[in-house]
């Protein structure tokens, strides 16, 4: 009986996640174009036809319509159902870590914003200030939800990565974007200094690996979006940071 109840609960969390993911697709598409995300129904980017409610069911509508607009037959990008699916799976993962609690809500909201930042940065090479400001909400809430991360640790976290990034940018123009710096400052308050270092390390490791692959394939541009890899690092630190840090210190008997 307990297994059945847990399965229903996980399914419920997954449904919440894919519904939120559907809204994130709207944010990802509209914010760079400065279109209001609060007004107007979803529309086809090809023919501008309004999408009917029964054609806008997360994940399933894409499969039902075989990846094509119901009005003009134009292709629907695979990224839309993938964002919805990933958001659903992320909601389930966060639930597995924190259970159904305010902690789950705060971390899930942060994760949803990080997904938007990731996709928009990939598309435009910029991180909108509005999304960084939005991230301040779960960051501030985390002060009350995770009291074990002290205020001093959070204050140090604001500058421990963002300040070196800013200084490096002064000497090496375009080393980091302003959005990357602001993102790490807000994340620093949310994570505390230890997990902020971990998040940055993961981001640099992943970003560096991708850069090496692009260089080997000779497809590297002068610039690459770094925000997505920082977002992965931040989310990893939010979920598993303390576990990873304890494991690392144990390797040295600390």
């Amino acid at each position: 009986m307990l297994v059945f109840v847990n399965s229903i609960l996980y399914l419920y969390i997954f449904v919440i996640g894919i519904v939120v993911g559907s809204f994130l697709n709207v944010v990802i598409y509209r914010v760079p174009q400065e279109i209001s995300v609060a007004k107007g129904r979803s529309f086809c980017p090809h023919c501008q036809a309004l999408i009917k409610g029964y054609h806008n069911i997360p994940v399933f509508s894409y499969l039902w319509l075989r990846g094509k607009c119901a009005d003009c037959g134009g292709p629907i990008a695979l990224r839309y159902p993938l964002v919805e699916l990933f958001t659903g799976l992320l909601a389930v993962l966060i639930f597995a870590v924190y259970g159904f609690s305010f902690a789950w809500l705060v971390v899930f909201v942060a994760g949803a914003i990080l997904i938007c930042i990731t996709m928009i940065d990939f598309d435009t090479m910029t991180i909108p200030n509005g999304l960084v400001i939005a991230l301040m909400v779960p960051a501030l809430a985390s002060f009350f939800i995770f009291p074990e991360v002290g205020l001093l640790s959070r204050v140090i976290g604001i500058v421990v990565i963002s300040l070196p990034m800013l200084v490096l940018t002064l000497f090496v123009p375009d080393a980091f974007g302003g959005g990357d710096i602001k993102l790490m400052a807000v994340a620093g308050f949310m994570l505390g200094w230890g997990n902020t270092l971990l998040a940055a390390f993961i981001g640099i490791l992943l970003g560096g690996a991708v850069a090496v692959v692009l260089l080997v394939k000779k497809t590297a541009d002068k610039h690459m979006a770094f925000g997505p890899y920082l977002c992965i690092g931040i989310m990893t630190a939010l979920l598993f940071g303390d576990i990873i840090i304890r494991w690392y210190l144990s390797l040295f008997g600390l």
Side-chain angles (χ1 to χ4, degrees):
M1 183 64 180
L2 183 60
V3 174
F4 174 76
V5 172
N6 283 336
S7 299
I8 294 298
L9 190 54
Y10 273 99
L11 178 61
Y12 176 68
I13 295 297
F14 176 73
V15 170
I16 291 176
I18 62 175
V19 170
V20 172
S22 181
F23 174 71
L24 298 188
N25 278 322
V26 174
V27 175
I28 293 164
Y29 178 80
R30 294 190 181 188
V31 166
Q33 301 188 53
E34 299 183 353
I35 303 174
S36 173
V37 299
K39 298 179 181 179
R41 289 167 49 191
S42 298
F43 56 87
C44 172
H46 302 289
C47 66
Q48 309 300 311
L50 295 179
I51 299 176
K52 300 177 179 64
Y54 54 85
H55 287 158
N56 204 22
I57 302 172
V59 179
F60 300 104
S61 288
Y62 180 88
L63 300 174
W64 180 22
L65 297 171
R66 298 182 180 179
K68 296 180 181 179
C69 171
D71 289 280
C72 68
I76 301 172
L78 181 60
R79 64 185 287 175
Y80 291 114
L82 288 181
V83 167
E84 294 164 352
L85 182 61
F86 180 80
T87 308
L89 294 175
L90 181 63
V92 170
L93 176 60
I94 297 170
F95 177 74
V97 175
Y98 292 107
F100 198 68
S101 61
F102 284 114
W104 173 85
L105 180 61
V106 169
V107 176
F108 179 59
V109 170
I113 296 170
L114 292 173
I115 289 172
C116 292
I117 289 174
T118 295
M119 300 307 295
I120 292 175
D121 199 15
F122 270 135
D123 289 341
T124 67
M125 300 283 291
T126 59
I127 298 177
N129 287 329
L131 290 178
V132 176
I133 293 172
L135 189 62
M136 291 181 182
V137 175
L140 291 172
S142 72
F143 178 76
F144 303 98
I145 300 300
F146 302 111
E148 62 273 17
V149 183
L151 179 59
L152 179 60
S153 177
R154 293 178 185 274
V155 172
I156 296 174
I158 294 174
V159 298
V160 69
I161 293 298
S162 62
L163 184 58
M165 289 172 70
L166 177 60
V167 172
L168 181 60
T169 302
L170 295 177
F171 292 96
V172 184
D174 298 326
F176 297 101
D180 298 329
I181 298 171
K182 287 177 278 190
L183 171 64
M184 290 309 299
V186 175
F189 182 84
M190 182 164 55
L191 295 170
W193 72 267
N195 277 318
T196 302
L197 289 174
L198 174 64
F201 175 76
I202 293 173
I204 292 171
L205 197 65
L206 291 175
V210 171
V212 169
V213 171
L214 294 177
L215 286 171
V216 170
K217 292 184 175 181
K218 298 182 179 179
T219 57
D221 197 354
K222 183 179 179 181
H223 302 287
M224 63 173 280
F226 189 49
Y229 309 105
L230 292 176
C231 288
I232 294 173
I234 293 167
M235 199 66 230
T236 302
L238 268 174
L239 290 172
F240 309 114
D242 292 341
I243 296 173
I244 294 173
I245 291 174
R246 284 198 299 268
W247 168 79
Y248 178 77
L249 292 177
S250 70
L251 294 178
F252 301 94
L254 300 175

